[in-house]
Amino acid sequence: MKSTKLWIADSEILYIRAFMEYVNLKKSHLFQVRICTEKEQLERAFAEEEIEILLISAEWYAVCKDLIHSECVIFLSEGSLAGNYRMYPAVYKYQSVENILREIMYYYSEQEDETEYFAGICRDNRIIGVYSPIGGIGKTTFALVLGQILAENQNVLYLNLEECSGFKEFLGGSHWNLSDLIYYLRQKKAPFLYRLNSMVQKLDHMDYIPPCESYTDFRQITAEEWQQMLHLIRTQSSYDTIILDMGNISGHEIDLLRQCDGIYVPVRQDVISQSKISQWESYIQILDGMDVMEKLQKLELPTDTAVYGRGEDFFMQQQKLGNFIRSLLQE
């Protein structure tokens, strides 16, 4: 995927040079940044170059507005803007570059016309499923620690597909979540990757998209929409591994397990847990899911992996589970 041309027009030279260097040195970046520190530079850029996104201060816009035509224009703001400048979106200048990029990707993803994009060839990446019909077994803790370990050497995206994930309480709220990404996908807008990246959050080494918060929204997502989202992530993003932490997704779990290259299934040996596993495997066979059965790897997780902290404390408490997972990955 080619980089999008992002031009910055501002008189604060040190700021925009630092911004350009940071973005252009990022791995798998979506933008190729160019800067203008004089009006004549911007005039030449409009005449000779392709400007897809223009990040511009209000001061510069006042003298260059006649040059602007079809570009995606975003104001680089130091505070509130006057009413006559509110025809375009704005990002606050003095925040982290990552936040600015996230906002730019969101606004840019709103600009494109509708198009069909459910096509493409999967890259050399993989989807790892984590699922168990047994509750309270540490499935999500396993999936999170697995993601952190893989993210030491890979670009990893964690997706929680549970009806009730508890992530808002565990990590704090977020403006966007998977429900919004699915809604965007339904509109069939072209720059899916920009909208995806505008929603991505960091959890230590690993990326994640906040899971659905509304039970009603979650239940309305079809298996086809989940599959389409995964296809677009595999074909358009730079992720090496996508981890699906799955619950009982409205009867869609068999469809999503088929998307996985490997599936970890935490189990226990007590009679009730084994009975649940047996019933689930019978259900898979009834649905002609022998292809899914071949991908399953049952695991008995270490005991005493209860979690009492959050954020960094969460992972510091998982040394025993981490050692178990590292051994598992070496097999």
Side-chain angles (χ1 to χ4, degrees), residues 191-225:
F192 172 85
L193 185 56
Y194 291 89
R195 180 55 65 95
L196 170 76
N197 285 357
S198 75
M199 296 181 180
V200 164
Q201 304 289 323
K202 272 286 184 191
L203 180 56
D204 205 1
H205 302 295
M206 177 179 69
D207 288 355
Y208 76 100
I209 299 176
C212 301
E213 294 178 5
S214 167
Y215 176 84
T216 302
D217 289 347
F218 183 90
R219 298 284 293 185
Q220 290 175 350
I221 301 172
T222 66
E224 291 75 18
E225 288 172 333

mmCIF file of all heavy atoms in Angstrom, residues 191-225:
data_model
loop_
_atom_site.group_PDB
_atom_site.id
_atom_site.type_symbol
_atom_site.label_atom_id
_atom_site.label_comp_id
_atom_site.label_asym_id
_atom_site.label_seq_id
_atom_site.Cartn_x
_atom_site.Cartn_y
_atom_site.Cartn_z
ATOM 1 N N PRO A 191 -10.839 3.883 2.722
ATOM 2 C CA PRO A 191 -9.626 3.862 3.556
ATOM 3 C C PRO A 191 -9.842 3.166 4.899
ATOM 4 O O PRO A 191 -9.676 3.763 5.966
ATOM 5 C CB PRO A 191 -9.291 5.347 3.725
ATOM 6 C CG PRO A 191 -10.620 6.018 3.691
ATOM 7 C CD PRO A 191 -11.487 5.205 2.766
ATOM 8 N N PHE A 192 -10.197 1.881 4.836
ATOM 9 C CA PHE A 192 -10.453 1.123 6.058
ATOM 10 C C PHE A 192 -9.255 1.146 6.993
ATOM 11 O O PHE A 192 -9.390 1.254 8.210
ATOM 12 C CB PHE A 192 -10.812 -0.320 5.693
ATOM 13 C CG PHE A 192 -10.923 -1.245 6.877
ATOM 14 C CD1 PHE A 192 -12.100 -1.339 7.595
ATOM 15 C CD2 PHE A 192 -9.827 -2.016 7.280
ATOM 16 C CE1 PHE A 192 -12.203 -2.182 8.693
ATOM 17 C CE2 PHE A 192 -9.917 -2.865 8.369
ATOM 18 C CZ PHE A 192 -11.109 -2.945 9.080
ATOM 19 N N LEU A 193 -8.042 1.021 6.428
ATOM 20 C CA LEU A 193 -6.845 0.938 7.250
ATOM 21 C C LEU A 193 -6.637 2.205 8.079
ATOM 22 O O LEU A 193 -6.169 2.143 9.214
ATOM 23 C CB LEU A 193 -5.624 0.673 6.368
ATOM 24 C CG LEU A 193 -4.297 0.445 7.082
ATOM 25 C CD1 LEU A 193 -4.405 -0.696 8.089
ATOM 26 C CD2 LEU A 193 -3.192 0.158 6.081
ATOM 27 N N TYR A 194 -7.002 3.352 7.518
ATOM 28 C CA TYR A 194 -6.854 4.605 8.262
ATOM 29 C C TYR A 194 -7.827 4.648 9.441
ATOM 30 O O TYR A 194 -7.477 5.102 10.532
ATOM 31 C CB TYR A 194 -7.073 5.803 7.328
ATOM 32 C CG TYR A 194 -5.968 5.956 6.325
ATOM 33 C CD1 TYR A 194 -6.022 5.314 5.092
ATOM 34 C CD2 TYR A 194 -4.846 6.715 6.616
ATOM 35 C CE1 TYR A 194 -4.996 5.442 4.170
ATOM 36 C CE2 TYR A 194 -3.815 6.855 5.702
ATOM 37 C CZ TYR A 194 -3.897 6.210 4.485
ATOM 38 O OH TYR A 194 -2.868 6.323 3.590
ATOM 39 N N ARG A 195 -9.046 4.178 9.227
ATOM 40 C CA ARG A 195 -10.000 4.162 10.329
ATOM 41 C C ARG A 195 -9.557 3.146 11.387
ATOM 42 O O ARG A 195 -9.646 3.411 12.580
ATOM 43 C CB ARG A 195 -11.405 3.837 9.810
ATOM 44 C CG ARG A 195 -12.484 3.795 10.899
ATOM 45 C CD ARG A 195 -12.547 5.079 11.722
ATOM 46 N NE ARG A 195 -12.944 6.216 10.954
ATOM 47 C CZ ARG A 195 -14.183 6.667 10.854
ATOM 48 N NH1 ARG A 195 -15.162 6.054 11.480
ATOM 49 N NH2 ARG A 195 -14.446 7.738 10.142
ATOM 50 N N LEU A 196 -9.081 1.992 10.937
ATOM 51 C CA LEU A 196 -8.564 0.989 11.874
ATOM 52 C C LEU A 196 -7.469 1.594 12.748
ATOM 53 O O LEU A 196 -7.514 1.510 13.976
ATOM 54 C CB LEU A 196 -8.020 -0.208 11.098
ATOM 55 C CG LEU A 196 -7.241 -1.241 11.909
ATOM 56 C CD1 LEU A 196 -8.198 -2.110 12.716
ATOM 57 C CD2 LEU A 196 -6.375 -2.118 11.000
ATOM 58 N N ASN A 197 -6.482 2.219 12.123
ATOM 59 C CA ASN A 197 -5.350 2.749 12.874
ATOM 60 C C ASN A 197 -5.720 3.935 13.744
ATOM 61 O O ASN A 197 -5.038 4.218 14.733
ATOM 62 C CB ASN A 197 -4.221 3.140 11.922
ATOM 63 C CG ASN A 197 -3.489 1.932 11.382
ATOM 64 O OD1 ASN A 197 -3.781 0.805 11.753
ATOM 65 N ND2 ASN A 197 -2.540 2.143 10.495
ATOM 66 N N SER A 198 -6.793 4.620 13.397
ATOM 67 C CA SER A 198 -7.233 5.730 14.241
ATOM 68 C C SER A 198 -7.831 5.239 15.557
ATOM 69 O O SER A 198 -7.944 5.996 16.517
ATOM 70 C CB SER A 198 -8.249 6.600 13.491
ATOM 71 O OG SER A 198 -9.520 5.968 13.412
ATOM 72 N N MET A 199 -8.211 3.959 15.612
ATOM 73 C CA MET A 199 -8.834 3.388 16.803
ATOM 74 C C MET A 199 -7.869 2.565 17.654
ATOM 75 O O MET A 199 -8.186 2.232 18.790
ATOM 76 C CB MET A 199 -10.005 2.488 16.394
ATOM 77 C CG MET A 199 -11.139 3.208 15.715
ATOM 78 S SD MET A 199 -12.473 2.060 15.307
ATOM 79 C CE MET A 199 -13.642 3.190 14.537
ATOM 80 N N VAL A 200 -6.707 2.224 17.100
ATOM 81 C CA VAL A 200 -5.771 1.338 17.788
ATOM 82 C C VAL A 200 -5.223 2.001 19.048
ATOM 83 O O VAL A 200 -4.864 3.175 19.053
ATOM 84 C CB VAL A 200 -4.621 0.949 16.842
ATOM 85 C CG1 VAL A 200 -3.460 0.367 17.613
ATOM 86 C CG2 VAL A 200 -5.107 -0.046 15.796
ATOM 87 N N GLN A 201 -5.173 1.226 20.134
ATOM 88 C CA GLN A 201 -4.580 1.658 21.388
ATOM 89 C C GLN A 201 -3.398 0.741 21.703
ATOM 90 O O GLN A 201 -3.274 -0.346 21.154
ATOM 91 C CB GLN A 201 -5.607 1.570 22.523
ATOM 92 C CG GLN A 201 -6.891 2.348 22.274
ATOM 93 C CD GLN A 201 -6.694 3.843 22.347
ATOM 94 O OE1 GLN A 201 -5.923 4.330 23.175
ATOM 95 N NE2 GLN A 201 -7.383 4.579 21.502
ATOM 96 N N LYS A 202 -2.526 1.212 22.591
ATOM 97 C CA LYS A 202 -1.361 0.426 22.992
ATOM 98 C C LYS A 202 -1.587 -0.177 24.373
ATOM 99 O O LYS A 202 -2.071 0.486 25.282
ATOM 100 C CB LYS A 202 -0.128 1.319 23.053
ATOM 101 C CG LYS A 202 0.627 1.438 21.738
ATOM 102 C CD LYS A 202 1.402 0.167 21.445
ATOM 103 C CE LYS A 202 2.242 0.339 20.173
ATOM 104 N NZ LYS A 202 2.788 -0.948 19.718
ATOM 105 N N LEU A 203 -1.241 -1.434 24.511
ATOM 106 C CA LEU A 203 -1.213 -2.100 25.811
ATOM 107 C C LEU A 203 0.165 -2.721 25.946
ATOM 108 O O LEU A 203 0.436 -3.806 25.442
ATOM 109 C CB LEU A 203 -2.304 -3.159 25.902
ATOM 110 C CG LEU A 203 -2.396 -3.939 27.222
ATOM 111 C CD1 LEU A 203 -2.563 -2.995 28.399
ATOM 112 C CD2 LEU A 203 -3.547 -4.936 27.172
ATOM 113 N N ASP A 204 1.069 -1.971 26.564
ATOM 114 C CA ASP A 204 2.472 -2.364 26.650
ATOM 115 C C ASP A 204 3.023 -2.529 25.234
ATOM 116 O O ASP A 204 2.991 -1.596 24.448
ATOM 117 C CB ASP A 204 2.613 -3.625 27.497
ATOM 118 C CG ASP A 204 3.997 -3.747 28.132
ATOM 119 O OD1 ASP A 204 4.817 -2.828 27.924
ATOM 120 O OD2 ASP A 204 4.264 -4.733 28.826
ATOM 121 N N HIS A 205 3.508 -3.715 24.856
ATOM 122 C CA HIS A 205 4.087 -3.895 23.522
ATOM 123 C C HIS A 205 3.028 -4.076 22.431
ATOM 124 O O HIS A 205 3.339 -3.936 21.242
ATOM 125 C CB HIS A 205 4.994 -5.134 23.503
ATOM 126 C CG HIS A 205 6.114 -5.095 24.492
ATOM 127 N ND1 HIS A 205 7.135 -4.180 24.431
ATOM 128 C CD2 HIS A 205 6.369 -5.858 25.583
ATOM 129 C CE1 HIS A 205 7.973 -4.385 25.425
ATOM 130 N NE2 HIS A 205 7.529 -5.395 26.150
ATOM 131 N N MET A 206 1.833 -4.406 22.798
ATOM 132 C CA MET A 206 0.838 -4.925 21.874
ATOM 133 C C MET A 206 -0.212 -3.867 21.538
ATOM 134 O O MET A 206 -0.566 -3.029 22.358
ATOM 135 C CB MET A 206 0.181 -6.143 22.541
ATOM 136 C CG MET A 206 -0.924 -6.804 21.784
ATOM 137 S SD MET A 206 -1.535 -8.229 22.750
ATOM 138 C CE MET A 206 -2.333 -7.406 24.145
ATOM 139 N N ASP A 207 -0.726 -3.910 20.311
ATOM 140 C CA ASP A 207 -1.853 -3.064 19.915
ATOM 141 C C ASP A 207 -3.164 -3.787 20.207
ATOM 142 O O ASP A 207 -3.234 -5.016 20.170
ATOM 143 C CB ASP A 207 -1.799 -2.755 18.413
ATOM 144 C CG ASP A 207 -0.696 -1.779 18.043
ATOM 145 O OD1 ASP A 207 -0.024 -1.265 18.966
ATOM 146 O OD2 ASP A 207 -0.485 -1.547 16.842
ATOM 147 N N TYR A 208 -4.187 -2.993 20.467
ATOM 148 C CA TYR A 208 -5.526 -3.567 20.588
ATOM 149 C C TYR A 208 -6.551 -2.523 20.179
ATOM 150 O O TYR A 208 -6.274 -1.318 20.162
ATOM 151 C CB TYR A 208 -5.808 -4.063 22.009
ATOM 152 C CG TYR A 208 -6.105 -2.968 23.017
ATOM 153 C CD1 TYR A 208 -7.416 -2.659 23.394
ATOM 154 C CD2 TYR A 208 -5.077 -2.219 23.606
ATOM 155 C CE1 TYR A 208 -7.691 -1.659 24.312
ATOM 156 C CE2 TYR A 208 -5.341 -1.230 24.529
ATOM 157 C CZ TYR A 208 -6.645 -0.946 24.877
ATOM 158 O OH TYR A 208 -6.922 0.052 25.781
ATOM 159 N N ILE A 209 -7.718 -2.982 19.808
ATOM 160 C CA ILE A 209 -8.858 -2.097 19.572
ATOM 161 C C ILE A 209 -9.843 -2.335 20.693
ATOM 162 O O ILE A 209 -10.210 -3.494 20.967
ATOM 163 C CB ILE A 209 -9.519 -2.377 18.208
ATOM 164 C CG1 ILE A 209 -8.515 -2.132 17.077
ATOM 165 C CG2 ILE A 209 -10.737 -1.488 18.009
ATOM 166 C CD1 ILE A 209 -9.056 -2.486 15.716
ATOM 167 N N PRO A 210 -10.277 -1.288 21.388
ATOM 168 C CA PRO A 210 -11.230 -1.498 22.485
ATOM 169 C C PRO A 210 -12.438 -2.304 22.013
ATOM 170 O O PRO A 210 -12.982 -2.046 20.939
ATOM 171 C CB PRO A 210 -11.621 -0.069 22.876
ATOM 172 C CG PRO A 210 -10.421 0.749 22.502
ATOM 173 C CD PRO A 210 -9.897 0.126 21.248
ATOM 174 N N PRO A 211 -12.830 -3.302 22.780
ATOM 175 C CA PRO A 211 -13.954 -4.155 22.373
ATOM 176 C C PRO A 211 -15.299 -3.451 22.494
ATOM 177 O O PRO A 211 -15.404 -2.360 23.059
ATOM 178 C CB PRO A 211 -13.869 -5.344 23.337
ATOM 179 C CG PRO A 211 -13.096 -4.845 24.502
ATOM 180 C CD PRO A 211 -12.189 -3.760 24.019
ATOM 181 N N CYS A 212 -16.317 -4.092 21.942
ATOM 182 C CA CYS A 212 -17.675 -3.536 21.990
ATOM 183 C C CYS A 212 -18.102 -3.335 23.439
ATOM 184 O O CYS A 212 -17.842 -4.180 24.293
ATOM 185 C CB CYS A 212 -18.654 -4.478 21.300
ATOM 186 S SG CYS A 212 -18.275 -4.812 19.568
ATOM 187 N N GLU A 213 -18.772 -2.227 23.673
ATOM 188 C CA GLU A 213 -19.282 -1.954 25.019
ATOM 189 C C GLU A 213 -20.779 -2.225 25.126
ATOM 190 O O GLU A 213 -21.279 -2.525 26.199
ATOM 191 C CB GLU A 213 -18.988 -0.499 25.397
ATOM 192 C CG GLU A 213 -17.491 -0.203 25.528
ATOM 193 C CD GLU A 213 -17.217 1.248 25.865
ATOM 194 O OE1 GLU A 213 -18.199 1.997 26.088
ATOM 195 O OE2 GLU A 213 -16.042 1.645 25.901
ATOM 196 N N SER A 214 -21.467 -2.118 24.000
ATOM 197 C CA SER A 214 -22.918 -2.313 24.004
ATOM 198 C C SER A 214 -23.266 -3.756 23.643
ATOM 199 O O SER A 214 -22.882 -4.247 22.574
ATOM 200 C CB SER A 214 -23.589 -1.358 23.008
ATOM 201 O OG SER A 214 -24.933 -1.731 22.774
ATOM 202 N N TYR A 215 -23.958 -4.423 24.543
ATOM 203 C CA TYR A 215 -24.405 -5.796 24.286
ATOM 204 C C TYR A 215 -25.279 -5.842 23.040
ATOM 205 O O TYR A 215 -25.155 -6.733 22.201
ATOM 206 C CB TYR A 215 -25.173 -6.304 25.500
ATOM 207 C CG TYR A 215 -25.777 -7.683 25.348
ATOM 208 C CD1 TYR A 215 -25.023 -8.827 25.594
ATOM 209 C CD2 TYR A 215 -27.107 -7.837 24.967
ATOM 210 C CE1 TYR A 215 -25.567 -10.084 25.456
ATOM 211 C CE2 TYR A 215 -27.668 -9.096 24.829
ATOM 212 C CZ TYR A 215 -26.894 -10.222 25.080
ATOM 213 O OH TYR A 215 -27.450 -11.466 24.936
ATOM 214 N N THR A 216 -26.143 -4.860 22.873
ATOM 215 C CA THR A 216 -27.049 -4.827 21.722
ATOM 216 C C THR A 216 -26.269 -4.684 20.424
ATOM 217 O O THR A 216 -26.525 -5.406 19.445
ATOM 218 C CB THR A 216 -28.051 -3.666 21.853
ATOM 219 O OG1 THR A 216 -28.776 -3.819 23.077
ATOM 220 C CG2 THR A 216 -29.023 -3.652 20.685
ATOM 221 N N ASP A 217 -25.312 -3.764 20.379
ATOM 222 C CA ASP A 217 -24.495 -3.588 19.178
ATOM 223 C C ASP A 217 -23.744 -4.866 18.847
ATOM 224 O O ASP A 217 -23.648 -5.269 17.684
ATOM 225 C CB ASP A 217 -23.496 -2.448 19.376
ATOM 226 C CG ASP A 217 -24.167 -1.087 19.403
ATOM 227 O OD1 ASP A 217 -25.351 -0.995 19.027
ATOM 228 O OD2 ASP A 217 -23.503 -0.111 19.816
ATOM 229 N N PHE A 218 -23.196 -5.490 19.869
ATOM 230 C CA PHE A 218 -22.414 -6.706 19.665
ATOM 231 C C PHE A 218 -23.270 -7.800 19.035
ATOM 232 O O PHE A 218 -22.841 -8.484 18.095
ATOM 233 C CB PHE A 218 -21.848 -7.171 21.006
ATOM 234 C CG PHE A 218 -20.962 -8.378 20.915
ATOM 235 C CD1 PHE A 218 -19.603 -8.249 20.724
ATOM 236 C CD2 PHE A 218 -21.505 -9.658 21.008
ATOM 237 C CE1 PHE A 218 -18.779 -9.361 20.640
ATOM 238 C CE2 PHE A 218 -20.694 -10.774 20.927
ATOM 239 C CZ PHE A 218 -19.323 -10.631 20.730
ATOM 240 N N ARG A 219 -24.474 -7.988 19.539
ATOM 241 C CA ARG A 219 -25.343 -9.059 19.049
ATOM 242 C C ARG A 219 -25.790 -8.833 17.609
ATOM 243 O O ARG A 219 -26.171 -9.789 16.920
ATOM 244 C CB ARG A 219 -26.580 -9.164 19.952
ATOM 245 C CG ARG A 219 -26.291 -9.511 21.396
ATOM 246 C CD ARG A 219 -25.949 -10.958 21.600
ATOM 247 N NE ARG A 219 -27.067 -11.852 21.335
ATOM 248 C CZ ARG A 219 -27.039 -13.161 21.528
ATOM 249 N NH1 ARG A 219 -25.948 -13.724 21.987
ATOM 250 N NH2 ARG A 219 -28.082 -13.904 21.265
ATOM 251 N N GLN A 220 -25.727 -7.589 17.133
ATOM 252 C CA GLN A 220 -26.186 -7.281 15.775
ATOM 253 C C GLN A 220 -25.099 -7.471 14.721
ATOM 254 O O GLN A 220 -25.365 -7.377 13.533
ATOM 255 C CB GLN A 220 -26.716 -5.840 15.718
ATOM 256 C CG GLN A 220 -28.019 -5.658 16.479
ATOM 257 C CD GLN A 220 -28.474 -4.213 16.521
ATOM 258 O OE1 GLN A 220 -27.738 -3.299 16.152
ATOM 259 N NE2 GLN A 220 -29.701 -4.001 16.974
ATOM 260 N N ILE A 221 -23.860 -7.734 15.144
ATOM 261 C CA ILE A 221 -22.773 -7.956 14.191
ATOM 262 C C ILE A 221 -22.858 -9.374 13.646
ATOM 263 O O ILE A 221 -22.921 -10.344 14.402
ATOM 264 C CB ILE A 221 -21.403 -7.715 14.854
ATOM 265 C CG1 ILE A 221 -21.311 -6.276 15.382
ATOM 266 C CG2 ILE A 221 -20.264 -7.985 13.853
ATOM 267 C CD1 ILE A 221 -20.070 -6.005 16.215
ATOM 268 N N THR A 222 -22.860 -9.500 12.327
ATOM 269 C CA THR A 222 -23.013 -10.814 11.700
ATOM 270 C C THR A 222 -21.653 -11.503 11.549
ATOM 271 O O THR A 222 -20.595 -10.873 11.600
ATOM 272 C CB THR A 222 -23.662 -10.684 10.312
ATOM 273 O OG1 THR A 222 -22.748 -9.977 9.444
ATOM 274 C CG2 THR A 222 -24.978 -9.917 10.398
ATOM 275 N N ALA A 223 -21.711 -12.810 11.316
ATOM 276 C CA ALA A 223 -20.474 -13.563 11.073
ATOM 277 C C ALA A 223 -19.758 -13.033 9.844
ATOM 278 O O ALA A 223 -18.521 -12.949 9.805
ATOM 279 C CB ALA A 223 -20.809 -15.045 10.890
ATOM 280 N N GLU A 224 -20.517 -12.647 8.830
ATOM 281 C CA GLU A 224 -19.915 -12.123 7.603
ATOM 282 C C GLU A 224 -19.167 -10.826 7.863
ATOM 283 O O GLU A 224 -18.108 -10.572 7.273
ATOM 284 C CB GLU A 224 -20.995 -11.898 6.534
ATOM 285 C CG GLU A 224 -21.614 -13.168 5.963
ATOM 286 C CD GLU A 224 -22.588 -13.837 6.940
ATOM 287 O OE1 GLU A 224 -23.048 -13.153 7.890
ATOM 288 O OE2 GLU A 224 -22.883 -15.030 6.752
ATOM 289 N N GLU A 225 -19.698 -9.989 8.749
ATOM 290 C CA GLU A 225 -19.020 -8.723 9.059
ATOM 291 C C GLU A 225 -17.738 -8.953 9.839
ATOM 292 O O GLU A 225 -16.718 -8.295 9.576
ATOM 293 C CB GLU A 225 -19.975 -7.800 9.825
ATOM 294 C CG GLU A 225 -21.080 -7.238 8.950
ATOM 295 C CD GLU A 225 -22.137 -6.485 9.729
ATOM 296 O OE1 GLU A 225 -22.344 -6.788 10.927
ATOM 297 O OE2 GLU A 225 -22.769 -5.586 9.139
#
